[in-house]
Amino acid sequence: MTDALRVRPDPSDPRLTRRVAGLDQAGRPVEVSVTVERPLTLYLNGQEIVTMMTIGDHPEDLALGYLLNQGMLRPDDRVSAIDHDEDLGVVVVRTERTTDHEAKLRKKTLTSGCAQGTAFGDLMEGFAQVRLPVEAELRTSWLYGLLRAINTLPTLYLEAGAIHGCALCQADQPIVYMEDVGRHNAVDKIAGWMFREGEPGADKIFYTTGRLTSEMVIKTVRMGIPILISRSGFTAWGVELAREANLTLIGRCKGSRFIALAGESRIVFDADPARDGEESPRHWRKNSREAESHAG
């Protein structure tokens, strides 16, 4: 099922985790893996845009996706160079078009994402103009297959926790999986990858481990992806925006159960939830360690 993955996590990358010694609840010495986060400062054509906290992988995709989702980079822009200096923690994106975002940088919004993301300018810029394909569909057999494939991936989350993941999927296959300390970073990495590869969103499905907030809905719509799925719950504004954009919005998706609150007409119920939607506790991503400890 995961053979179609073009980008996958690498939990063995020594830059992404660190072993730390401590004590457990009984006072016994333990050593655990913890996720490493580091600052990355983004420049666009010589102008400093933002400093982000990130795990540090795929910095070029993160930079491109961030600029796209902030409206600072246009889908038709030609990027002439991307320079990343790992030692300095800097990535510089250069475009053929001259840019100046001084006015937008003065208008700052802290998003609801963990690791506290920052959005500049008008969050809704261009949102109403996006037309998602009405002919796209989500078969429940695909949905259950995707969950099984994603939940059995070797990931940084299972190695060290404190991480969010996002997957770009097509039918019942995840094709790109990205992780980061904030879900906004993970989705930006996928947006940047799609931009670099010229990958269309109209026939894709987006999966996230994070909450279905307004920010997540806006970014998915901007990527032109008609279906958004999460194991987590919804916010009221996220649902409202999804209905406005005709985005299929599915949350609380675990095992055979899910709730769709927008774009329900795209769902094709072609699987038996009692049979095809079963999920073993060993595949739970959220609270997986607690589930294992309670199981003995």
Side-chain angles (χ1 to χ4, degrees), residues 147 150-151 165-167 169 205-209 229-231 285:
L147 292 178
I150 290 169
N151 288 332
C166 289
C169 312
I205 298 165
F206 200 85
Y207 171 89
T208 175
T209 59
I229 300 168
S230 175
R231 294 180 70 87
R285 301 180 65 80

Side-chain angles (χ1 to χ4, degrees), residues 69-121:
N69 283 326
Q70 298 300 323
M72 297 179 178
L73 190 65
R74 300 172 185 167
D76 59 350
D77 269 332
R78 293 180 62 87
V79 174
S80 55
I82 307 177
D83 299 315
H84 174 233
D85 189 312
E86 186 172 0
D87 293 333
L88 294 178
V90 169
V91 60
V92 181
V93 177
R94 295 183 174 86
T95 62
E96 294 182 359
R97 176 177 62 90
T98 302
T99 59
D100 181 3
H101 296 292
E102 190 62 37
K104 181 172 282 192
L105 291 172
R106 286 196 293 267
K107 189 175 181 182
K108 181 189 297 185
T109 302
L110 293 180
T111 70
S112 59
C114 46
Q116 205 169 53
T118 303
F120 297 102

Side-chain angles (χ1 to χ4, degrees), residues 10-289:
D10 182 10
S12 66
D13 187 336
R15 300 172 303 167
L16 304 183
T17 62
R18 182 178 302 154
R19 298 293 289 176
V20 177
L23 299 177
D24 70 5
Q25 68 280 355
R28 295 180 298 246
V30 295
E31 189 178 78
V32 298
S33 293
V34 297
T35 301
V36 173
E37 57 178 336
R38 50 178 60 85
L40 179 69
T41 300
L42 168 60
Y43 288 82
L44 175 61
N45 293 327
Q47 184 176 33
E48 182 176 343
I49 302 298
V50 69
T51 296
M52 303 172 280
M53 297 306 298
T54 173
I55 61 175
D57 66 343
H58 305 286
E60 295 87 355
D61 289 331
L62 175 57
L64 289 172
Y66 183 90
L67 293 172
L68 284 164
N69 283 326
Q70 298 300 323
M72 297 179 178
L73 190 65
R74 300 172 185 167
D76 59 350
D77 269 332
R78 293 180 62 87
V79 174
S80 55
I82 307 177
D83 299 315
H84 174 233
D85 189 312
E86 186 172 0
D87 293 333
L88 294 178
V90 169
V91 60
V92 181
V93 177
R94 295 183 174 86
T95 62
E96 294 182 359
R97 176 177 62 90
T98 302
T99 59
D100 181 3
H101 296 292
E102 190 62 37
K104 181 172 282 192
L105 291 172
R106 286 196 293 267
K107 189 175 181 182
K108 181 189 297 185
T109 302
L110 293 180
T111 70
S112 59
C114 46
Q116 205 169 53
T118 303
F120 297 102
D122 185 357
L123 282 171
M124 297 294 294
E125 183 179 342
F127 181 84
Q129 284 70 50
V130 178
R131 295 292 178 265
L132 297 176
V134 296
E135 68 276 7
E137 68 176 20
L138 173 66
R139 296 182 174 273
T140 53
S141 59
W142 297 351
L143 176 59
Y144 298 144
L146 283 174
L147 292 178
R148 285 192 293 270
I150 290 169
N151 288 332
T152 54
L153 281 173
T155 62
L156 192 59
Y157 173 86
L158 295 176
E159 173 70 21
I163 207 83
H164 270 296
C166 289
L168 182 68
C169 312
Q170 189 167 23
D172 63 347
Q173 297 281 343
I175 58 176
V176 174
Y177 193 94
M178 298 280 198
E179 293 180 296
D180 214 300
V181 287
R183 65 175 184 272
H184 46 84
N185 283 354
V187 66
D188 285 347
K189 286 177 182 178
I190 291 182
W193 180 89
M194 292 174 68
F195 177 83
R196 280 197 306 105
E197 297 293 324
E199 191 77 28
D203 60 343
K204 302 300 189 299
I205 298 165
F206 200 85
Y207 171 89
T208 175
T209 59
R211 299 179 300 278
L212 296 173
T213 63
S214 56
E215 174 201 18
M216 186 59 67
V217 168
I218 291 168
K219 288 186 175 184
T220 304
V221 170
R222 280 182 170 164
M223 288 189 287
I225 300 173
I227 299 164
L228 173 59
I229 300 168
S230 175
R231 294 180 70 87
S232 296
F234 312 82
T235 67
W237 195 23
V239 173
E240 182 180 334
L241 289 174
R243 290 177 173 177
E244 178 183 329
N246 192 28
L247 172 74
T248 298
L249 192 68
I250 296 177
R252 302 179 187 173
C253 189
K254 299 178 183 179
S256 61
R257 290 178 284 185
F258 65 82
I259 296 176
L261 293 184
E264 299 92 333
S265 62
R266 291 194 182 94
I267 303 173
V268 178
F269 294 87
D270 68 335
D272 179 359
R275 183 192 65 201
D276 300 323
E278 292 181 355
E279 183 181 79
S280 168
R282 67 190 176 91
H283 294 161
W284 293 349
R285 301 180 65 80
K286 232 174 188 14
N287 300 323
S288 61
R289 289 170 178 78

